[in-house]
């Protein structure tokens, strides 16, 4: 059977917009048992970080993560590339270098032929090859909706692990990729995405966050996370709460993918954007004159988004320069971390 069905038509959601809403996930994770009995577990579930970290010895720590989702685009090869890039991002966000991947595959075999499924896997394998790692195995099931992703493993020195909770007052916040992936994917589903918009979507979502493995060697870098399904505000909130600080985000400073502002102003938005705001809006201060479409972009789910880096002010230019040298030409300072004011709880403040 030739592939005649659109991949996105087989799924109720797509990309990182499929993630459970932050509030739902928080309630579920609250039931997880503590991992204090494992002294070599350096990073677990307690901090909403990007990956788990296990100390192997004095010079090596294993970074382990898994990420998978339903199609955000219709081309099988592009879907595989995006999903693999997104999964490896969690390893880079911890300051590690990936070493190995395993494939997670769930496909509606009655609706997709073997060629289309093979192209999904080939796309993922191509990204892993570009990252210098093999796809060494995996697991597959027959599922109602198409699902693809990776288990990704990496290595980092135990003293150089970067988490999302190490930010310090006065740190600047640097975002390495422009926002708007959710808006562009919504426009694609609605038949409103122009060819240039699709090219921008693919270029952004398949760009490996290799900057992450360089950051542990840079003085003044204190915290890192990748911006994915919870949007810029959601991941900045995790960073702020982890450090017991306030993330002051300049709404207009966040770079946007080409065409996104026009689409957002026209009302193209994902359902996940609203769910994100409903989950964490109580922890966010927003000015009365902030346009609704602008807030939607700050909560827009980013499939395979960029890194959010907290760095000392005197380290910011070095981080930006390194990012741009690696092809992240839209990297920009989007805010800073500050001490909470009197009576103010850790959270996000939009300006």
């Amino acid at each position: 059977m030739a592939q005649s069905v659109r991949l996105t038509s087989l799924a109720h959601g797509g990309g990182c917009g499929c993630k459970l809403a932050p509030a739902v996930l928080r309630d579920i994770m609250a039931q997880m048992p503590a991992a204090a009995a494992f002294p070599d577990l350096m990073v677990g579930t307690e901090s909403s970080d990007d990956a788990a970290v296990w100390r192997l010895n004095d010079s090596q720590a294993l970074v382990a993560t898994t990420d998978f989702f339903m199609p955000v685009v219709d081309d099988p090869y592009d879907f595989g590339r995006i999903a693999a890039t997104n999964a490896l991002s969690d390893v880079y966000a911890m300051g590690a270098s990936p070493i190995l991947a395993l494939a997670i595959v769930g496909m509606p075999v009655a609706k997709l032929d073997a060629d289309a499924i093979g192209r999904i896997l080939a796309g993922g394998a191509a990204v892993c090859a570009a990252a210098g790692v093999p796809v060494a195995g995996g697991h597959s099931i027959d599922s109602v909706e198409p699902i693809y992703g990776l288990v990704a493993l990496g290595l980092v020195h135990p003293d150089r692990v970067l988490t999302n909770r190490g930010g310090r007052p006065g740190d600047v916040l640097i975002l390495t990729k422009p926002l708007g992936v959710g808006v562009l994917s919504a426009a694609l589903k609605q038949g409103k995405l122009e060819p240039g918009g699709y090219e921008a979507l693919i270029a952004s979502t398949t760009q490996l966050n290799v900057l992450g493995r360089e950051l542990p060697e840079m003085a003044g870098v204190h915290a890192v996370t990748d911006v994915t399904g919870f949007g810029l505000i959601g991941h900045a909130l995790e960073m702020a709460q982890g450090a017991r600080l306030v993330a002051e985000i300049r709404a207009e400073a966040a770079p946007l993918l080409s065409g996104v502002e026009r689409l957002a102003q026209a009302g193209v938005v994902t359902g996940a954007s609203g769910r994100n705001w409903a989950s964490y809006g109580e922890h966010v201060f927003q000015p009365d004159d902030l346009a609704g479409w602008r807030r939607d972009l700050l909560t827009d789910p980013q499939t395979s988004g960029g890194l959010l880096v907290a760095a000392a002010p005197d380290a910011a230019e070095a981080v930006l320069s390194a990012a741009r040298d690696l092809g992240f030409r839209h990297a920009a300072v989007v805010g800073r971390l500050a001490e909470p004011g009197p009576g103010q709880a850790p959270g996000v403040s939009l300006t």
Side-chain angles (χ1 to χ4, degrees):
M1 178 183 69
Q3 186 207 344
S4 59
V5 62
R6 294 180 63 184
L7 283 180
T8 53
S9 73
L10 298 176
H12 75 280
C16 287
C18 298
K19 292 176 73 169
L20 294 176
V24 174
L25 182 61
R26 191 164 54 243
D27 290 343
I28 293 172
M29 295 305 295
Q31 303 176 51
M32 287 285 290
F38 300 92
D40 287 319
L41 183 63
M42 298 177 63
V43 180
T45 61
E46 69 286 341
S47 60
S48 301
D49 225 312
D50 296 300
V53 182
W54 183 273
R55 184 190 302 272
L56 295 174
N57 50 53
D58 289 343
S59 60
Q60 292 179 311
L62 179 69
V63 176
T65 184
T66 181
D67 215 316
F68 53 90
F69 46 62
M70 290 165 280
V72 68
V73 294
D74 291 314
D75 182 89
Y77 189 77
D78 284 344
F79 170 41
R81 293 167 66 206
I82 293 167
T85 305
N86 180 74
L88 292 173
S89 181
D90 287 338
V91 174
Y92 291 125
M94 305 302 291
S97 295
I99 58 168
L100 180 71
L102 304 173
I104 299 170
V105 183
M107 295 291 155
V109 295
K111 297 179 180 179
L112 282 179
D113 65 6
D115 180 67
I117 297 171
R119 288 171 62 202
I120 293 170
L121 272 62
V127 162
C128 288
V133 301
V135 180
H139 185 65
S140 61
I141 61 169
D142 185 357
S143 64
V144 176
E145 298 178 291
I147 297 169
Y148 176 69
L150 300 176
V151 173
L153 304 177
L155 289 176
V156 65
H157 193 286
D159 295 338
R160 296 173 184 158
V161 175
L162 293 170
T163 71
N164 66 358
R165 60 184 187 274
R168 302 177 187 178
D171 280 354
V172 297
L173 296 174
I174 297 168
L175 180 64
T176 62
K177 287 186 184 181
L179 303 177
V181 170
V183 168
L184 293 183
S185 61
L188 176 66
K189 277 193 169 185
Q190 296 172 25
K192 299 177 179 178
L193 187 62
E194 298 176 354
Y198 186 80
E199 293 171 3
L201 172 66
I202 298 302
S204 181
T205 55
T206 59
Q207 184 177 20
L208 287 163
N209 278 322
V210 292
L211 174 67
R213 65 188 178 195
E214 311 294 328
L215 294 175
E217 306 298 327
M218 301 180 68
V221 173
H222 299 141
V224 182
T225 191
D226 62 342
V227 177
T228 54
F230 299 157
L232 175 59
I233 292 178
H235 293 285
L237 177 63
E238 290 178 340
M239 184 178 280
Q241 291 179 328
R244 302 191 64 78
L245 298 172
V246 172
E248 298 177 346
I249 303 292
R250 301 199 313 273
E252 295 185 4
L256 302 177
L257 287 164
S258 177
V260 163
E261 183 170 338
R262 175 182 57 79
L263 288 166
Q265 289 177 334
V268 178
V269 66
T270 69
S273 180
R275 291 193 296 273
N276 281 342
W277 181 255
S279 292
Y280 54 61
E282 63 183 303
H283 302 290
V284 181
F285 167 81
Q286 62 168 338
D288 293 337
D289 60 352
L290 181 67
W293 65 267
R294 179 78 69 180
R295 193 188 74 187
D296 288 341
L297 289 177
L298 298 176
T299 59
D300 186 57
Q302 301 305 289
T303 300
S304 193
L307 299 178
L308 183 64
V309 183
D314 58 5
E317 191 52 46
V319 174
L320 287 168
S321 178
R324 291 165 183 161
D325 286 347
L326 289 169
F328 298 92
R329 58 189 182 88
H330 296 286
V333 174
V334 296
R336 70 184 189 109
L337 294 175
E339 292 278 9
Q344 185 181 20
V348 172
S349 178
L350 303 179
T351 59

